Amino acid sequence: MDELINYNGYEEFKQAVNRVLNRTVEDFVLTGYLLKQARDTDILKDSGYNDVNEFAWGEYKLDASQVSRYIRVNDKFSEGGYSPKLQEQYQGFGYAKLALMLTLPEEVVEELTPAYSKTEIQAVKEEIEEEEKITDIEVILEGQKEEQKDLGNLEKALHQIFRDEPELYKTMHETVRTTCGTKYLQEVLAPDGDKIYSTRIQGIGRIMLYMHESKDITLHMVRSGDKEFYSWDDALSYCTMITDSEDAEKTWEEMYGESFPKKEEIAPVQPKKRKESKVVKAKRNNAKPERSGTKPADSQTNQPDAPTNKEENNEEKEENGTPRSVSIPAMEKESKKTEEATEVKTEIPQEKHDETQIPGQTELTKDFPEYCPPDMNISEEQPEEVKGAYATRRIYISSVDADTAAEYMGKAMEKTIRNMPGVSFGVLTKELFWKEFFETEVDRNGAEIECVN
């Protein structure tokens, strides 16, 4: 047996683990550096290739866009912008996150940590893009809300967040009135240590609040790119001011001039509780607020804006930030095809189903009852199917027969690999890749869920 490696304490051991986990993304940074060398030096003079793009395609079948992406990753995330080494602050992100972060403003990138998932980073990107659709003239014409005119930017942001998230206000109200110190407010506003709130202030535009338990609060004015920094004491001071009354709901109603919204009744069948996102997106009906001094009719406020063709096409994004090649109608067609295939499979007699059953295969109704109605009685003549609105890919695959699972895996892997251009096959041997692949959340048809508030 090979001699075990001895480490001088936890920190040295952790560094060794980090080196292994970051090896893949560092390989991408190194690849970008090597392609720069091919671009900027005469190393290719005896190769028969005219430039780096010809070389990359002829030897590795990397097209010009993939070469450009490797180089841009190196430009932005390597030490000094021209190095084979990844900058220390980007250790732990992974290539897919870094590729997505290429499309974000620098003011946003510097606030992100590896704790944010690709889905959460994608949500931040969508918030930025949503604000870009609104012109400066539209913002000016909105006018500011009367009750926010005398507030500072942090106060305006918190005022709007608590208006959009009344239950969060109630939790904050109880915490501020029954505890003392910023630590407890941090547990409410950033329960997992990191949190990003996106909110839209009428007459100003979108504001991003970056909260971290060990740092000051960063306020980012999306339209101008300006940043302001506030302490947690600043936030606590404002929260204390708006919780002077004992009754949280009554205080909220007096502050916003409307009835406190009632909680929606919980349906009898609920999917398993999902992990709370670290990104809180701005309410959609605040994307284009009414002008100051006007009050839209109830019938208008209850109706969401009809999406434009551009918005429809933007709703489906790759995890690396590039548009999907499949259109919305094509997706619906594919979803319908999957449903039809499932219906065909349910007609297979039980005798044939039993013959193809893999010993030890997960049974949805026994192993994952939370995804099934309490009165669901699956007879022995019917195969199982996913009943919950959301599940992981692993659960979805275990709920269908072998033929459907095989067809689904082929398509899912093709889409996944196409979404990661230039990825070496070594990535497919990594445990982290497959864990993330199987734990990705999908709907009842197996389609990936990009982001859920």
Side-chain angles (χ1 to χ4, degrees):
M1 182 176 178
D2 294 337
E3 184 178 354
L4 294 176
I5 301 175
N6 293 320
Y7 298 99
N8 296 323
Y10 168 72
E11 287 302 324
E12 184 177 336
F13 167 74
K14 182 181 177 182
Q15 290 175 8
V17 175
N18 288 342
R19 283 195 296 270
V20 174
L21 294 179
N22 291 321
R23 185 173 297 157
T24 300
V25 67
E26 288 177 347
D27 287 345
F28 281 106
V29 172
L30 176 57
T31 301
Y33 175 76
L34 294 173
L35 291 172
K36 283 183 176 181
Q37 293 290 294
R39 180 195 65 185
D40 300 337
T41 71
D42 62 354
I43 194 68
L44 297 179
K45 65 180 181 180
D46 297 325
S47 68
Y49 296 111
N50 292 321
D51 55 34
V52 63
N53 289 328
E54 284 189 12
F55 162 73
W57 178 256
E59 296 293 334
Y60 308 106
K61 293 299 180 283
L62 297 175
D63 62 29
S65 64
Q66 292 168 324
V67 171
S68 175
R69 180 173 297 172
Y70 275 117
I71 290 176
R72 286 190 296 131
V73 165
N74 187 274
D75 287 340
K76 191 162 187 175
F77 302 115
S78 69
E79 293 182 354
Y82 203 125
S83 165
K85 294 183 179 181
L86 183 68
Q87 292 182 48
E88 184 176 354
Q89 64 263 38
Y90 298 117
Q91 297 284 342
F93 272 99
Y95 175 74
K97 292 182 186 179
L98 293 183
L100 181 56
M101 288 158 62
L102 280 174
T103 64
L104 293 174
E106 186 62 33
E107 298 85 7
V108 177
V109 171
E110 62 189 16
E111 299 294 337
L112 298 175
T113 70
Y116 291 99
S117 68
K118 293 194 301 293
T119 300
E120 288 164 342
I121 296 174
Q122 176 67 31
V124 173
K125 181 177 186 294
E126 290 170 357
E127 290 296 281
I128 302 295
E129 291 174 341
E130 190 71 26
E131 187 63 27
E132 291 174 350
K133 298 175 184 177
I134 305 173
T135 66
D136 292 339
I137 295 297
E138 288 178 294
V139 174
I140 294 172
L141 293 176
E142 290 169 1
Q144 292 192 45
K145 292 182 177 179
E146 191 64 35
E147 64 270 25
Q148 292 182 348
K149 284 185 177 180
D150 296 329
L151 299 179
N153 286 333
L154 176 64
E155 295 168 342
K156 287 177 181 177
L158 291 174
H159 182 274
Q160 190 64 45
I161 289 169
F162 291 136
R163 188 257 174 253
D164 295 338
E165 306 287 341
E167 291 299 325
L168 178 64
Y169 173 83
K170 281 185 68 175
T171 304
M172 181 277 296
H173 182 281
E174 179 181 0
T175 299
V176 170
R177 290 186 62 85
T178 58
T179 61
C180 181
T182 59
K183 177 178 75 171
Y184 302 100
L185 182 63
Q186 291 172 354
E187 292 175 354
V188 172
L189 297 181
D192 295 324
D194 291 276
K195 196 83 170 184
I196 297 176
Y197 290 91
S198 172
T199 190
R200 196 167 190 288
I201 308 302
Q202 186 171 307
I204 292 179
R206 200 169 307 263
I207 286 179
M208 309 288 281
L209 280 185
Y210 305 101
M211 294 185 173
H212 192 279
E213 59 186 359
S214 62
K215 297 193 304 185
D216 287 344
I217 298 172
T218 302
L219 184 148
H220 174 207
M221 311 287 286
V222 172
R223 301 192 71 84
S224 65
D226 294 337
K227 282 186 174 181
E228 299 174 2
F229 302 94
Y230 298 90
S231 69
W232 279 96
D233 285 325
D234 294 329
L236 179 59
S237 177
Y238 176 69
C239 290
T240 301
M241 184 178 69
I242 61 174
T243 55
D244 56 345
S245 177
E246 189 173 342
D247 189 320
E249 293 188 7
K250 183 178 179 181
T251 305
W252 189 94
E253 290 175 346
E254 291 175 350
M255 187 161 54
Y256 297 109
E258 56 185 273
S259 299
F260 192 90
K262 294 181 179 180
K263 277 188 176 181
E264 295 181 2
E265 293 186 3
I266 300 176
V269 180
Q270 288 290 311
K272 187 176 180 179
K273 187 177 180 181
R274 306 171 66 247
K275 183 178 179 181
E276 183 180 348
S277 173
K278 288 184 173 63
V279 177
V280 177
K281 300 176 73 173
K283 293 298 181 184
R284 192 61 181 266
N285 59 3
N286 289 329
K288 292 185 178 181
E290 69 274 8
R291 297 181 186 179
S292 179
T294 63
K295 183 176 180 181
D298 292 340
S299 60
Q300 292 176 331
T301 58
N302 293 331
Q303 295 294 327
D305 294 339
T308 63
N309 290 337
K310 181 178 180 182
E311 289 172 336
E312 290 176 348
N313 292 334
N314 282 341
E315 285 178 0
E316 275 297 317
K317 299 282 183 179
E318 296 292 359
E319 288 186 336
N320 63 4
T322 57
R324 292 188 186 274
S325 58
V326 61
S327 63
I328 296 296
M331 290 172 60
E332 294 175 347
K333 183 178 180 181
E334 184 66 23
S335 176
K336 183 177 180 182
K337 181 179 178 182
T338 304
E339 293 176 354
E340 293 173 353
T342 304
E343 292 175 359
V344 171
K345 297 300 179 183
T346 59
E347 298 175 1
I348 299 177
Q350 178 64 24
E351 292 75 17
K352 183 173 181 181
H353 176 70
D354 289 339
E355 291 175 0
T356 59
Q357 181 73 22
I358 301 174
Q361 185 176 12
T362 301
E363 293 185 31
L364 185 62
T365 53
K366 294 180 180 180
D367 298 322
F368 302 95
E370 64 269 25
Y371 290 95
C372 303
D375 59 347
M376 178 181 179
N377 296 315
I378 300 180
S379 65
E380 295 184 356
E381 290 74 28
Q382 293 180 332
E384 303 159 348
E385 61 175 323
V386 176
K387 291 292 183 182
Y390 306 113
T392 63
R393 181 177 275 128
R394 175 176 60 85
I395 294 175
Y396 171 78
I397 293 173
S398 70
S399 72
V400 298
D401 59 78
D403 290 342
T404 303
E407 179 183 5
Y408 173 80
M409 277 293 293
K411 292 179 179 178
M413 282 305 301
E414 179 184 10
K415 181 181 291 185
T416 299
I417 293 174
R418 286 182 181 275
N419 292 350
M420 301 171 66
V423 171
S424 66
F425 285 101
V427 173
L428 303 181
T429 66
K430 302 294 183 182
E431 178 183 347
L432 289 177
F433 171 85
W434 288 106
K435 180 179 179 182
E436 189 168 279
F437 178 82
F438 284 115
E439 292 303 313
T440 295
E441 290 171 326
V442 299
D443 62 20
R444 63 180 298 126
N445 297 318
E448 288 190 24
I449 301 168
E450 292 296 334
C451 183
V452 178
N453 287 338

